[in-house]
Amino acid sequence: MQHQLQVELARKALAHIDAGTTDKGQEVLRCAVSEYTSNDWFAREKATLFRDYPLFLGLSSLIAKPGDYLAEDYGEIPTLLVRGDDGVARAFVNMCRHRGAPLTKGCGRQASFTCPYHAWHYNNKGELVSLPDKRSFPGIDPQQSGLLPLPTLEKDGMLWLLPRVQTDPAQDLNSLLETHLAGLSSELSSYRFGDYHADMTRTITRRANWKQPIETFLEAYHFKTLHKNTVAPLFFHNMCLFEAFGLNHREAVIRRSIEGLRELPENQWDFITHSAISYQLFPNTVFVIQADHVETWRVFPSRDRVDECVIRFDCYVPEPVITEKARKHWDANIDLAFRTVDEEDYQISIDIEKAYLSGALDEVIVGQNEPSLGHFKKSINQSVIANS
Ligand code: FES
Ligand SMILES: [Fe+2]
């Protein structure tokens, strides 16, 4: 983050501390509980939000070297992300062109992919290289039978995907993403994410509508109660800085340590150390800049249950973890961070979902002190209604 912006945000935070205030939304919102329980709404969300918008996949180091791949099957389309021998990151539909079997699962590094069913063989650019008993497939042109490509973009150390089979091969994901990020891309590029190293990942399934785990990140109003025994003492309660970028936003919650900046000249101010900055990358990623590492939480609707989601957590660190001491440090710290979110935030998400399914409440309320949450809910709502 540029230093000038860090100074502006730090000034704003200190002013809020002095006045006992926070950034606010324009209005109190009333939100329909059915958006978390209705199968109809759920189908509309999946058909629009997870097809029409660029989805954040991860930082470049997720597939650092040629041949590195990552297969994911929790989105709407089974996806194989792979870095080719030419260094280019590409994504494909992870289905063999013969009878549709997934080519691989999980992650790893390999020069090519052999289908586990009948051994059709593809290189890491997705081209069909060979197929057994080729003479039994007259009229099937191997050059036309490569894996189906999905629009993919690697930019400023970030990997993006448009999760639909390319109908227009000339579609420019870069310009689509620029429009989608609405001015946020230069800020994201300032972090030099290409220098980070993928270090740890976890994938969990939880019984809550996919929006619930995202929403736990979007306000600091719950710190003093839900996190009273964990992170609450580190942060100012019920205080956030908020800025919208189209359907996305930046939210910063403020560490108590920021008071120390008052003693320093502004040219030495470092806002990142004294805050937790999260970008909500619409629709399904919460991207958190912590003082010493980056966390991404990508949340996907379950394939067939409105009240279930899959959450993929990735942690990226500034230096590769080589020594045992460093390994222990990161294991302990990240495990604590993950467990706090999972055992406190996601547990309340699960409890809320169960309560919503009772049908006893039609509406819930978002206060003006929860501007990020209000923005997320409005963004989802508007996009679904506009596109379906
Ligand atoms: S389904 Fe892949 S080779 Fe038959
Ligand atoms: Fe929380």
Side-chain angles (χ1 to χ4, degrees), residues 58-64 68 70 107 193-203 292-296 312-338:
L59 298 188
S60 292
S61 55
L62 215 48
I63 49 163
D68 282 358
L70 171 66
C107 61
F193 291 131
D195 296 344
Y196 279 77
H197 302 264
D199 186 60
M200 201 180 294
T201 183
R202 290 184 193 176
T203 303
D292 57 355
H293 68 278
V294 168
E295 294 166 11
T296 66
R312 174 161 170 141
F313 165 81
D314 287 281
C315 171
Y316 300 88
V317 296
E319 301 288 338
V321 178
I322 297 166
T323 66
E324 203 173 317
K325 190 172 161 215
R327 185 70 274 147
K328 275 191 181 151
H329 164 84
W330 285 111
D331 283 353
N333 279 277
I334 301 305
D335 189 60
L336 181 65
F338 183 87

Side-chain angles (χ1 to χ4, degrees), residues 96-101 103 115-120 122 132:
C96 177
R97 293 297 299 279
H98 176 219
R99 297 261 302 283
L103 288 171
C115 179
Y117 204 174
H118 314 89
W120 282 30
Y122 303 84

Side-chain angles (χ1 to χ4, degrees), residues 66-128:
D68 282 358
Y69 69 88
L70 171 66
E72 294 191 335
D73 64 358
Y74 24 79
E76 285 301 279
I77 292 181
T79 304
L80 176 61
L81 174 69
V82 57
R83 191 174 298 282
D85 288 337
D86 55 1
V88 176
R90 299 179 178 86
F92 304 98
V93 177
N94 186 18
M95 294 175 76
C96 177
R97 293 297 299 279
H98 176 219
R99 297 261 302 283
L103 288 171
T104 186
K105 295 182 179 175
C107 61
R109 180 177 302 160
Q110 55 195 53
S112 59
F113 299 89
T114 303
C115 179
Y117 204 174
H118 314 89
W120 282 30
H121 187 68
Y122 303 84
N123 65 19
N124 58 24
K125 289 189 199 162
E127 295 158 341
L128 180 63

